[in-house]
Structure formats: structure tokens, C-alpha cells
Amino acid sequence: MPQKTKHTPMMEQYFGIKKDYEDAFLFYRLGDFYEMFYEDAIKVSQLLELTLTSRNRNADDPIPMCGIPHHAAQGYIDTLIEKGYKVAICEQVEDPKTTVGMVKREVVQLITPGTVMESKGLDAKENNYLTAIVAAERQQEFGFAYVDLSTGELKVTTLFDEESVLNEASSLQTREVVLGSELSESLKLKLSQRLEVVFSEQYTTTENAEFNFIASELSADLEQEVVNKLLAYLSLTQKRSLGHLQKAAVYQPTHFLKMDHYSKFNLELSQSIRTGKKQGTLLWLLDETKTAMGGRLLKQWLDRPLIQETKINRRQEMVQSLLDAFFERADLQTAMTKVYDLERLAGRVAFGSVNGRDMIQLRTSLEQIPQIRQLIEGINQGQWNELLLDLDPVKDVVDLIETAIIEEAPLTIMDGGVIKDGYNEQLDTYREAMSHGKQWIAEMEAKERQDTGIKNLKIGFNRVFGYYIEVTKGQLANLPEGRYDRKQTLTNAERFITPELKETETLILEAEEKSQDLEYQLFLEVREQIKASIGRLQKLAKSVAAIDVLQSFATVSEKYQYTRPVMKANSHNLQLVEGRHPVVEKVMGHQEYVPNSVKMNPDTSIFLITGPNMSGKSTYMRQLALTVVMAQMGCFVPAESAEMPIFDQIFTRIGASDDLISGQSTFMVEMMEANEALRHATPNSLILFDEIGRGTATYDGMALAEAIIEYIHKKVKAKTLFSTHYHELTELEQSLQGLVNVHVGAVEKDGDVVFLHKMMDGPADKSYGIHVAKLAGLPIDLLERASTILTSLEAGATKPKTPAPSVEEESGQLSLFSEVSTEELSVIDTVKRMNLLEMTPMDALNTLYELQKRI
Ligand code: ADP
């Protein structure tokens, strides 16, 4: 910070405040503007495309400055937060009119990506989490807590390695992490590589008694510590009441189906690999929720499917009862659509940002509860008992809002018009005075016209002069002397005041001012009364959210004809009959999709899948994983029938996802993912390996693949789908008892391959690589050459017996190409040099793509 010259008192004040908010943009309130100075100004002006000006333009070292009007600030703040920055709002906390000298200023709120409450960037169906992480001395134990400030949800757990910390943080898609200073640099680095996240670490801890209850029941020290850290950061940034924060709930990641970061990503549970969006994911398919809370809960359930048989069964039973009650379900959906975001409304009540319209939304939402209750009671046979417990219509709040708040309440409470007539006697008196006042004025106008005979005389009002009698210049002569006191002269008229008019004016204005003040007071009282019910509203919101997710399951299950899976803990029998990939089926249509079974008895642990590329191997594997996730969420599944064990973890290695951000090659990522599975999988886990080993040369790739299969078979014993293009591996069926060969059927028709997408027993007869290359449109002569090489290879040779013809030998043909460019010649040369034996089909495609680009 440049400090060489002596600064004005204002800039001194600015520096004093800015030093506590080094990592935030300081929005310094100056009159109607928020101003930024120095580095802040330079950066913000670039980010928001604002004009950069300067203060003390003529001084030796002018101060860079830029400003935004305070009434338009929200949009700019949203943009900065969206981009991952923090904004400190610094207001004048004294009235400039009555203050001598410098007005006192303070930061009233620090808005950060993890703590935004009001923003258009806040997706209704998504949580916005702020996370805190602390580490025990030797970095082998971590306290991990997160909060959604808009809903008040606060959870905490203890984790035992860095990978789990990374997994939790990335599955929450947290936007901001408050870090303990003891956290290792390597963990911070990994966090920032995997997530788009802001770190907040330098803030000092402040105590806030309001929060004492939140961590009061935590037994583990590390959990207490991390929750306190989170809360300290919240008090520091929000500087206001946060009465809606819920008591910290301890959770154990091991109580849910575990899927690591890679698997969630690969399976496209909530984010499409290609677009990063929800469209095309399992979440997109399952989401028939009607409320924002339901949408958020669905995502949470998807992130943490269950592993307890009884809990899964309970959800299934609820879904079943909804499926059995078509009409009730339709009514339930209609009622649900009228339920607004209760959780965030409750948050705004506590936060003090609630307005009249929010209260009407709250009332409308609560008014649906009795009907929802009745519908659920109607179908309840015990399975709904728990949810019914919290389905509280919060009648007192409904009545309160009903009697106090006007139906079409305006967005702001400052101008009144929010509190209903009849709610408060005093307010009614003021209002009567106001409306009588208007009548008096009207009567006075009529009387003045009559008395003076001036037909166009009128009584008007403006903010500067108050009430006045206006007479046009032409009529002035008709105005009697004496009573009329001149107030203002216009081009065509004069304005006057009379003692009676003055008296009436005082009465009216007083009533107006007092009524506004009183309305504001009453509104705050109503808000405080509702605040007392926040706990009940939050419980209700949770219950409604769960009902909404379950009705969504029922809706989806009916729409796509899903079946109720039979789930058994500690079973190793998997009988998925005629299953379908739910998302692919939805996209291509039920008719087009070829169903496939996965039948593994307790003795089988590995399916070795062979078949041409593009025939449907990875679709088959994903189909099983998604079915498991759906089943363990409590939803029905896309199959004719299903009997499934309850899995504890899912590991995947599917598709070629280069981890570009952290700069790791495909093969490295492949091996890391394989490592995760091999080290952590149990006999109750599910492993999906798609063409492991293809990222490296043929022999070591195949050797690794074989060793991995043997290792799983002997040590891990997890249910495994392993697809491969190494035909040699199919011989393992002879030596490994729990391994079964399956393949995707394909038939040859007139030299072309037709994929049946149907799984069949036994190994594939051939790999059809050349056929696929043909489908991809490779040049015919290249394909012919490949067939020749293949034939000689299949005849048992280790290298092509028919040597590739040299350029000279082809000189006759070359003349054909005499018109070709050198670039094209070089492409031909490259094709000739290609060592097809060392290439995977994927490499071949990539090379082909490169070649095509060159010509
Ligand atoms: P592989 O992993 O064998 O290369 P994929 O699983 O990626 O093949 O499938 C390739 C394409 O085939 C998919 O994008 C899909 O359009 C289609 N497909 C796969 N399985 C089926 C199926 N069971 N029914 C219909 N089409 C399918």
C-alpha cells in the first residue's frame, strides 16, 4: 500500500479498515457510491468493465479509484462472488447530516462465495456450502464441517486421510474452505486442483455466545474445534443474527455407499462429463421434485446412497405406497408445487432480510401442509410415521401472517402498505387520519373553488413545498386579499397556502410518518414471532423435502416402468434381469434400448467382458453401477426384476478422462483409480474396470490387466465387471474359478459389422477392430492393408510377414498422386509408418483425426 505522502483523514480511515480485509474488495461507502481504491480499483474495474478514474488527479501520485452506485451494487457484487472473490461492504454508521468531521465507517458484512444469502447465482435446487477443515497434530485426523448458510444445515465429521477430505469436499462442491493454519500445503494444493474453491485462513477467532448451543453436544475435540472455526468465520463475515443455524449434526461417511471422486465423476451422477451440467445425468433423470428443498435433498441422497437394509426398505415401501395411490400422488404433486423454499425463507427470517412477499409465500406454503398431511395419512401403513411426525402445519405462523400481512405486500417495507387493516388499532387510527385527510383536502378544494369562483383552482402536493393551492396567472385577480400566502411562482401559475390548509397538512403528514414507523415496528414484531418457530419450520421443510423426493422416485419409477429391487445385506447374489441404463434409455427411447442381464451367483466375482468397440460394454457397466446407486437411494430400478446385495463401495475406471487440471496423463489417472479400488474394495464392493491397461504399450498393459484380475480374484473378491480388448485374457476362465467370460454380440453382414448390444456368454469371437475402423471411414486401401497384417498375425507370426510396400515400389501409383501437395504426401508417409500393432483402436482414431486435420 503506497503510504509515502501524508493522506487525508478519509484515506487514513480507508487504510485502517482495509488492513483487516486484505483478501476482499473493500466497497467503501461515499455518499451514494461504493468506491474502491488502489489495487482494488484496478482489479475491479477490469473485472466489471468499469472506468478507472483517480482521486487527487493533479497530485504527484494520484490514487486509482472506481465506483459503483450503491443502489445498483447487488448485480456487481453477485458477479464478483460468482468469479470467486470476496466483497467487504463498508457503510457509514453515523448520520453524515448530524456528524461533525469524519463520518464513522465500518464493515457491516463480508460477502464470500461460501456465505452468499441473496444472489441470483444461488440455484434453488442446489446447496451452497461453506466448509471448514482442521487437522490433528500429525495430519492423520481431520475435523471436517460444512454449513449452508441459506438453509442453516450444519454437519460435521472426522476423517482419517487426505483422500477422504478431498472426496468429501468435492462431492459437496464446496465453494469456500476455512482452513486451519496447521493444514499441510500439499492438501491445500490438492484441494485447489480438484475444486474451484476460495480459501479463507487469516481471520482471527471471535466468540459468539449465540452459537454456543450449536457445538454443545459434540464429543470429539476435533469436531468441536472445526465447528467453532466455521462459526467464528460466520460471525465475522455476517455480523448479524444467525438464529436459523441448526445444531451441528455428526455424520459418518462410512454409513453410506462410498464412491470416490473419480467414480462420481465417471458415472455422471450429477454432472455431465462433457458439459459439466445436470442435463444427461442420473440426477437429471431422477428429478421430478416439485420443491426447491426436494431438489436439494435429492442431490444429497444421490451423493450418499444408503447401506442399511431396513432404511432402504423403508424408502422403498414409501415409494410403493405412492405408486399404489395414483390419485393421491397427483394431488400431492399439485399441493407440492405451491410450497415455496421453506428452508431459505426461514433463513431469511433469521437473517432479517425477509420481506412481506416472502411472508405471504411462507403462509401459502404452510397452507398446503394440512392437505399434504391428510394425503400421506391416507396411504400410511406405518412406513410414513417418522415423516408425519414433523409434518407440522405451524398453524400459529399461518394465523399470524394471515391477520398481519397484506396479500399483495410490496417488496420493500420502508414505504408501508405491508400490515393489514385491523391488525393494530393505532395503525388504523393513523390510516384513518390519512384517508380522512385526503377527503378533507378534496372538500377544501371544492369550497375554495366555490368561494373564489375560480373553476380551475386546485390543491396539489409536492415533497418540497407540501400542500398548496394553485391558481393560474389569468385567474389571480379573482383571488381575495389576505388569507392566501404566496409559496411558489411558476411560469403560468402561482401557488399559495392558507392556515387551514397548513393545519390539515400537518395532521396528514404526521399520520403518514407515524404510520410508516409503526408499520415497520409491527413488521419487525411479526418477524420476531416467526423467528421463534424457525426450528419447527426447518423440521417441516425436511419432512416435505423427503416426501417430495419419494414422490419423485414414484413418478420416475412409474414413467419408465422400473421395478422394486429385492435388497439383501451380506448377500453375494446379484440377479439383475433385463436391466437398462436409465439415462441412455431415456435419451434413445425404451423401444431402441436392448436390455441386458447381470447374473452373478455368490461364487462368481468377475465378468470378463469382450466385444468390439462401440458395442455397448461401458454402457453395460455403467448400467449396473447406476442401478446400484438408484436401488440404494431407495428408488426402483430399470429392470424386469432385480435381486441385489447391498454394496458398500463402488469403484470405477471408465472412459478416458485425462485429469487435465492436475496435469496427469490418462495412464497415470487409470493406475491411480485402479489403485484406489484394489486397496479399499471389500467383498461387498462393486468394481468396474473398462479396458484397464490400454493406456500403455500392448505387453505391459496386458500384463497389468491380467495381474489386476488375478489380484481381485484372489484377494479383493469384489463383484467386478472388467472389459478388455485383450483377447488373450479370456483364457483366464480356465484358471480362475470365479471368473466368467461374457461378450457383446455382433454379426457381420456384407463385410460390415452390426452391433446387437446384447450380452452373451463366452468370449467374443473376434475384436472387429478393422470393422469399426471402417465404420469410422478410414481409407479402403489402409483397411485392406490392415486385414492383410491381421491375417498374417493370426497365422501365428509375431510381426507382419508381408512387409509394407516401400514408396519406390509404389512409384507407379505415386504418379496418380502427382497433383498432391507435399502435406498430403507427408500424411501418406505417416500412414505408412504407423505401427498398427502397437496402437489401440482409440489411438488409431486419434491419429486418423490428426491426419484428417492436416489435409
Ligand atoms: P463400448 O464401451 O463397447 O465402446 P459403449 O458402451 O460406449 O461401447 O456404447 C456405444 C454406443 O452404443 C452407446 O453410445 C449407445 O448409443 C449404444 N448402446 C450401448 N448399449 C446399448 C444397448 N444396450 N442398447 C442400445 N444401444 C446401446
Side-chain angles (χ1 to χ4, degrees), residues 571-609:
S571 148
H572 292 275
N573 192 17
L574 171 61
Q575 302 292 327
L576 185 69
V577 179
E578 300 291 67
R580 285 115 56 199
H581 184 302
V583 182
V584 176
E585 179 189 43
K586 171 169 169 155
V587 173
M588 70 167 39
H590 182 70
Q591 296 302 326
E592 297 301 311
Y593 194 86
V594 182
N596 276 305
S597 302
V598 187
K599 294 182 183 173
M600 282 190 180
N601 61 37
D603 301 327
T604 314
S605 60
I606 304 176
F607 268 11
L608 189 69
I609 309 166

Short mmCIF file of all heavy atoms in Angstrom, two decimals, residues 571-609:
data_model
loop_
_atom_site.label_atom_id
_atom_site.label_comp_id
_atom_site.label_asym_id
_atom_site.label_seq_id
_atom_site.Cartn_x
_atom_site.Cartn_y
_atom_site.Cartn_z
N SER A 571 -25.32 -60.37 1.15
CA SER A 571 -25.57 -61.41 0.16
C SER A 571 -24.55 -61.20 -0.95
O SER A 571 -24.01 -60.11 -1.12
CB SER A 571 -26.99 -61.25 -0.39
OG SER A 571 -27.05 -61.65 -1.73
N HIS A 572 -24.24 -62.27 -1.68
CA HIS A 572 -23.33 -62.09 -2.81
C HIS A 572 -23.99 -62.55 -4.09
O HIS A 572 -23.34 -62.91 -5.05
CB HIS A 572 -22.01 -62.83 -2.56
CG HIS A 572 -21.24 -62.22 -1.44
ND1 HIS A 572 -20.40 -61.16 -1.63
CD2 HIS A 572 -21.23 -62.48 -0.12
CE1 HIS A 572 -19.89 -60.78 -0.46
NE2 HIS A 572 -20.38 -61.58 0.46
N ASN A 573 -25.30 -62.52 -4.05
CA ASN A 573 -26.06 -62.95 -5.19
C ASN A 573 -26.64 -61.74 -5.93
O ASN A 573 -27.38 -60.96 -5.36
CB ASN A 573 -27.20 -63.86 -4.71
CG ASN A 573 -27.87 -64.58 -5.85
OD1 ASN A 573 -27.31 -64.65 -6.95
ND2 ASN A 573 -29.07 -65.09 -5.60
N LEU A 574 -26.26 -61.60 -7.18
CA LEU A 574 -26.71 -60.45 -7.95
C LEU A 574 -27.48 -60.95 -9.16
O LEU A 574 -26.91 -61.59 -10.05
CB LEU A 574 -25.48 -59.63 -8.39
CG LEU A 574 -25.71 -58.50 -9.38
CD1 LEU A 574 -26.64 -57.44 -8.80
CD2 LEU A 574 -24.38 -57.86 -9.75
N GLN A 575 -28.77 -60.70 -9.17
CA GLN A 575 -29.60 -61.15 -10.29
C GLN A 575 -30.36 -59.98 -10.86
O GLN A 575 -31.50 -59.70 -10.48
CB GLN A 575 -30.59 -62.24 -9.82
CG GLN A 575 -29.94 -63.46 -9.18
CD GLN A 575 -29.15 -64.30 -10.18
OE1 GLN A 575 -29.51 -64.39 -11.35
NE2 GLN A 575 -28.06 -64.91 -9.72
N LEU A 576 -29.71 -59.29 -11.77
CA LEU A 576 -30.38 -58.17 -12.42
C LEU A 576 -30.86 -58.68 -13.77
O LEU A 576 -30.06 -58.96 -14.66
CB LEU A 576 -29.37 -57.03 -12.61
CG LEU A 576 -29.93 -55.73 -13.15
CD1 LEU A 576 -30.84 -55.06 -12.13
CD2 LEU A 576 -28.78 -54.79 -13.52
N VAL A 577 -32.18 -58.81 -13.89
CA VAL A 577 -32.72 -59.43 -15.11
C VAL A 577 -33.21 -58.36 -16.07
O VAL A 577 -34.03 -57.52 -15.73
CB VAL A 577 -33.86 -60.40 -14.73
CG1 VAL A 577 -34.44 -61.04 -15.99
CG2 VAL A 577 -33.34 -61.46 -13.77
N GLU A 578 -32.69 -58.43 -17.30
CA GLU A 578 -33.06 -57.49 -18.35
C GLU A 578 -33.00 -56.04 -17.87
O GLU A 578 -33.98 -55.29 -17.94
CB GLU A 578 -34.47 -57.81 -18.87
CG GLU A 578 -34.62 -59.22 -19.45
CD GLU A 578 -33.86 -59.40 -20.77
OE1 GLU A 578 -32.62 -59.35 -20.74
OE2 GLU A 578 -34.51 -59.58 -21.80
N GLY A 579 -31.84 -55.67 -17.39
CA GLY A 579 -31.65 -54.30 -16.90
C GLY A 579 -31.39 -53.32 -18.03
O GLY A 579 -31.05 -53.71 -19.14
N ARG A 580 -31.61 -52.04 -17.71
CA ARG A 580 -31.36 -51.00 -18.73
C ARG A 580 -30.56 -49.86 -18.11
O ARG A 580 -30.61 -49.64 -16.90
CB ARG A 580 -32.70 -50.42 -19.23
CG ARG A 580 -33.49 -51.30 -20.16
CD ARG A 580 -34.82 -51.74 -19.55
NE ARG A 580 -35.67 -50.64 -19.12
CZ ARG A 580 -36.68 -50.77 -18.26
NH1 ARG A 580 -36.95 -51.96 -17.72
NH2 ARG A 580 -37.41 -49.74 -17.92
N HIS A 581 -29.84 -49.15 -18.95
CA HIS A 581 -29.15 -47.95 -18.50
C HIS A 581 -30.19 -46.84 -18.49
O HIS A 581 -30.69 -46.44 -19.55
CB HIS A 581 -28.01 -47.63 -19.47
CG HIS A 581 -27.16 -46.46 -19.04
ND1 HIS A 581 -27.68 -45.20 -18.83
CD2 HIS A 581 -25.84 -46.37 -18.78
CE1 HIS A 581 -26.70 -44.39 -18.47
NE2 HIS A 581 -25.57 -45.08 -18.43
N PRO A 582 -30.55 -46.31 -17.31
CA PRO A 582 -31.70 -45.41 -17.25
C PRO A 582 -31.56 -44.16 -18.11
O PRO A 582 -32.53 -43.76 -18.75
CB PRO A 582 -31.77 -45.03 -15.76
CG PRO A 582 -30.43 -45.34 -15.18
CD PRO A 582 -29.90 -46.47 -15.99
N VAL A 583 -30.37 -43.59 -18.14
CA VAL A 583 -30.23 -42.33 -18.88
C VAL A 583 -30.17 -42.57 -20.38
O VAL A 583 -30.85 -41.89 -21.16
CB VAL A 583 -29.00 -41.53 -18.39
CG1 VAL A 583 -28.90 -40.21 -19.14
CG2 VAL A 583 -29.07 -41.29 -16.89
N VAL A 584 -29.38 -43.59 -20.79
CA VAL A 584 -29.31 -43.89 -22.23
C VAL A 584 -30.70 -44.27 -22.74
O VAL A 584 -31.14 -43.85 -23.81
CB VAL A 584 -28.30 -45.03 -22.51
CG1 VAL A 584 -28.30 -45.41 -23.98
CG2 VAL A 584 -26.89 -44.61 -22.08
N GLU A 585 -31.42 -45.05 -21.91
CA GLU A 585 -32.77 -45.45 -22.33
C GLU A 585 -33.68 -44.24 -22.49
O GLU A 585 -34.43 -44.12 -23.46
CB GLU A 585 -33.37 -46.40 -21.28
CG GLU A 585 -34.78 -46.82 -21.66
CD GLU A 585 -35.49 -47.59 -20.54
OE1 GLU A 585 -35.38 -47.18 -19.37
OE2 GLU A 585 -36.14 -48.58 -20.86
N LYS A 586 -33.58 -43.32 -21.53
CA LYS A 586 -34.43 -42.12 -21.62
C LYS A 586 -34.11 -41.34 -22.89
O LYS A 586 -35.01 -40.85 -23.58
CB LYS A 586 -34.23 -41.24 -20.39
CG LYS A 586 -34.93 -39.89 -20.51
CD LYS A 586 -34.95 -39.11 -19.22
CE LYS A 586 -35.41 -37.68 -19.50
NZ LYS A 586 -36.01 -37.00 -18.37
N VAL A 587 -32.82 -41.24 -23.20
CA VAL A 587 -32.41 -40.45 -24.35
C VAL A 587 -32.79 -41.14 -25.66
O VAL A 587 -33.32 -40.51 -26.57
CB VAL A 587 -30.89 -40.15 -24.31
CG1 VAL A 587 -30.44 -39.48 -25.59
CG2 VAL A 587 -30.56 -39.29 -23.10
N MET A 588 -32.55 -42.46 -25.74
CA MET A 588 -32.80 -43.11 -27.04
C MET A 588 -34.21 -43.70 -27.15
O MET A 588 -34.64 -44.02 -28.25
CB MET A 588 -31.72 -44.16 -27.34
CG MET A 588 -31.75 -45.40 -26.49
SD MET A 588 -30.70 -46.75 -27.14
CE MET A 588 -29.30 -45.92 -27.77
N GLY A 589 -34.90 -43.83 -26.04
CA GLY A 589 -36.25 -44.37 -26.09
C GLY A 589 -36.27 -45.84 -25.69
O GLY A 589 -35.35 -46.59 -26.02
N HIS A 590 -37.33 -46.23 -25.01
CA HIS A 590 -37.46 -47.57 -24.45
C HIS A 590 -37.37 -48.63 -25.55
O HIS A 590 -36.77 -49.69 -25.39
CB HIS A 590 -38.79 -47.65 -23.71
CG HIS A 590 -39.02 -48.98 -23.06
ND1 HIS A 590 -38.30 -49.38 -21.96
CD2 HIS A 590 -39.88 -49.98 -23.35
CE1 HIS A 590 -38.72 -50.59 -21.61
NE2 HIS A 590 -39.68 -50.98 -22.43
N GLN A 591 -37.97 -48.35 -26.70
CA GLN A 591 -38.02 -49.33 -27.79
C GLN A 591 -36.63 -49.68 -28.31
O GLN A 591 -36.34 -50.82 -28.64
CB GLN A 591 -38.85 -48.78 -28.96
CG GLN A 591 -40.30 -48.53 -28.64
CD GLN A 591 -41.01 -49.78 -28.16
OE1 GLN A 591 -40.71 -50.89 -28.60
NE2 GLN A 591 -41.95 -49.62 -27.22
N GLU A 592 -35.79 -48.65 -28.39
CA GLU A 592 -34.48 -48.81 -29.01
C GLU A 592 -33.48 -49.53 -28.11
O GLU A 592 -32.55 -50.17 -28.57
CB GLU A 592 -33.89 -47.43 -29.35
CG GLU A 592 -34.70 -46.65 -30.37
CD GLU A 592 -34.84 -47.42 -31.67
OE1 GLU A 592 -33.81 -47.89 -32.16
OE2 GLU A 592 -35.98 -47.56 -32.16
N TYR A 593 -33.68 -49.40 -26.81
CA TYR A 593 -32.67 -49.90 -25.90
C TYR A 593 -32.73 -51.42 -25.77
O TYR A 593 -33.79 -51.99 -25.56
CB TYR A 593 -32.82 -49.23 -24.52
CG TYR A 593 -31.58 -49.46 -23.68
CD1 TYR A 593 -30.50 -48.60 -23.77
CD2 TYR A 593 -31.49 -50.56 -22.84
CE1 TYR A 593 -29.35 -48.83 -23.04
CE2 TYR A 593 -30.34 -50.81 -22.11
CZ TYR A 593 -29.27 -49.94 -22.22
OH TYR A 593 -28.13 -50.18 -21.51
N VAL A 594 -31.60 -52.07 -25.87
CA VAL A 594 -31.54 -53.53 -25.72
C VAL A 594 -31.20 -53.87 -24.27
O VAL A 594 -30.12 -53.57 -23.80
CB VAL A 594 -30.45 -54.13 -26.64
CG1 VAL A 594 -30.42 -55.64 -26.51
CG2 VAL A 594 -30.67 -53.70 -28.08
N PRO A 595 -32.15 -54.45 -23.54
CA PRO A 595 -31.89 -54.75 -22.13
C PRO A 595 -30.87 -55.88 -21.98
O PRO A 595 -30.73 -56.72 -22.87
CB PRO A 595 -33.25 -55.18 -21.57
CG PRO A 595 -34.18 -55.26 -22.71
CD PRO A 595 -33.49 -54.88 -23.97
N ASN A 596 -30.18 -55.85 -20.87
CA ASN A 596 -29.17 -56.88 -20.60
C ASN A 596 -29.18 -57.28 -19.14
O ASN A 596 -29.39 -56.45 -18.27
CB ASN A 596 -27.78 -56.34 -20.95
CG ASN A 596 -27.47 -56.50 -22.41
OD1 ASN A 596 -27.55 -57.60 -22.96
ND2 ASN A 596 -27.16 -55.40 -23.06
N SER A 597 -28.93 -58.55 -18.90
CA SER A 597 -28.93 -59.04 -17.52
C SER A 597 -27.52 -59.09 -16.95
O SER A 597 -26.55 -59.19 -17.69
CB SER A 597 -29.52 -60.45 -17.46
OG SER A 597 -30.83 -60.44 -17.99
N VAL A 598 -27.44 -58.99 -15.64
CA VAL A 598 -26.18 -59.28 -14.94
C VAL A 598 -26.53 -60.34 -13.91
O VAL A 598 -27.21 -60.04 -12.93
CB VAL A 598 -25.62 -58.05 -14.20
CG1 VAL A 598 -24.23 -58.37 -13.65
CG2 VAL A 598 -25.57 -56.83 -15.11
N LYS A 599 -26.12 -61.57 -14.17
CA LYS A 599 -26.46 -62.64 -13.22
C LYS A 599 -25.18 -63.21 -12.65
O LYS A 599 -24.44 -63.92 -13.34
CB LYS A 599 -27.25 -63.73 -13.91
CG LYS A 599 -28.62 -63.27 -14.39
CD LYS A 599 -29.38 -64.41 -15.03
CE LYS A 599 -30.72 -63.92 -15.56
NZ LYS A 599 -31.41 -64.94 -16.33
N MET A 600 -24.91 -62.87 -11.40
CA MET A 600 -23.70 -63.37 -10.74
C MET A 600 -24.11 -64.11 -9.49
O MET A 600 -24.67 -63.50 -8.58
CB MET A 600 -22.81 -62.20 -10.33
CG MET A 600 -22.00 -61.58 -11.43
SD MET A 600 -20.83 -60.44 -10.65
CE MET A 600 -19.97 -59.81 -12.06
N ASN A 601 -23.83 -65.40 -9.45
CA ASN A 601 -24.14 -66.13 -8.22
C ASN A 601 -23.06 -65.85 -7.19
O ASN A 601 -22.04 -65.23 -7.50
CB ASN A 601 -24.30 -67.62 -8.53
CG ASN A 601 -23.03 -68.20 -9.10
OD1 ASN A 601 -21.94 -67.82 -8.68
ND2 ASN A 601 -23.17 -69.09 -10.06
N PRO A 602 -23.25 -66.30 -5.96
CA PRO A 602 -22.29 -65.95 -4.92
C PRO A 602 -20.86 -66.35 -5.24
O PRO A 602 -19.91 -65.73 -4.75
CB PRO A 602 -22.79 -66.71 -3.69
CG PRO A 602 -24.25 -66.89 -3.94
CD PRO A 602 -24.39 -67.06 -5.42
N ASP A 603 -20.68 -67.38 -6.08
CA ASP A 603 -19.32 -67.82 -6.36
C ASP A 603 -18.64 -67.01 -7.46
O ASP A 603 -17.43 -67.09 -7.64
CB ASP A 603 -19.30 -69.30 -6.78
CG ASP A 603 -19.88 -70.14 -5.66
OD1 ASP A 603 -19.69 -69.75 -4.50
OD2 ASP A 603 -20.54 -71.15 -5.97
N THR A 604 -19.43 -66.30 -8.22
CA THR A 604 -18.83 -65.52 -9.31
C THR A 604 -18.46 -64.14 -8.79
O THR A 604 -19.27 -63.49 -8.13
CB THR A 604 -19.84 -65.32 -10.46
OG1 THR A 604 -20.45 -66.57 -10.72
CG2 THR A 604 -19.17 -64.76 -11.69
N SER A 605 -17.23 -63.73 -9.07
CA SER A 605 -16.94 -62.36 -8.69
C SER A 605 -16.57 -61.50 -9.88
O SER A 605 -16.71 -60.29 -9.84
CB SER A 605 -15.83 -62.31 -7.64
OG SER A 605 -14.66 -62.90 -8.16
N ILE A 606 -16.12 -62.12 -10.99
CA ILE A 606 -15.66 -61.30 -12.11
C ILE A 606 -16.33 -61.69 -13.42
O ILE A 606 -16.40 -62.86 -13.78
CB ILE A 606 -14.13 -61.44 -12.29
CG1 ILE A 606 -13.42 -61.09 -10.97
CG2 ILE A 606 -13.64 -60.55 -13.42
CD1 ILE A 606 -11.93 -61.29 -11.01
N PHE A 607 -16.86 -60.68 -14.12
CA PHE A 607 -17.28 -60.85 -15.51
C PHE A 607 -16.19 -60.25 -16.37
O PHE A 607 -15.87 -59.07 -16.22
CB PHE A 607 -18.57 -60.08 -15.78
CG PHE A 607 -19.83 -60.87 -15.59
CD1 PHE A 607 -19.82 -62.12 -14.98
CD2 PHE A 607 -21.06 -60.35 -16.04
CE1 PHE A 607 -20.99 -62.84 -14.80
CE2 PHE A 607 -22.23 -61.06 -15.86
CZ PHE A 607 -22.20 -62.30 -15.24
N LEU A 608 -15.61 -61.05 -17.25
CA LEU A 608 -14.65 -60.50 -18.19
C LEU A 608 -15.39 -60.24 -19.49
O LEU A 608 -15.88 -61.17 -20.13
CB LEU A 608 -13.50 -61.49 -18.40
CG LEU A 608 -12.34 -60.92 -19.20
CD1 LEU A 608 -11.60 -59.86 -18.41
CD2 LEU A 608 -11.37 -62.03 -19.61
N ILE A 609 -15.49 -58.98 -19.86
CA ILE A 609 -16.34 -58.62 -21.00
C ILE A 609 -15.49 -58.32 -22.21
O ILE A 609 -14.63 -57.45 -22.19
CB ILE A 609 -17.17 -57.36 -20.68
CG1 ILE A 609 -17.89 -57.54 -19.34
CG2 ILE A 609 -18.18 -57.08 -21.78
CD1 ILE A 609 -18.45 -56.25 -18.79
#
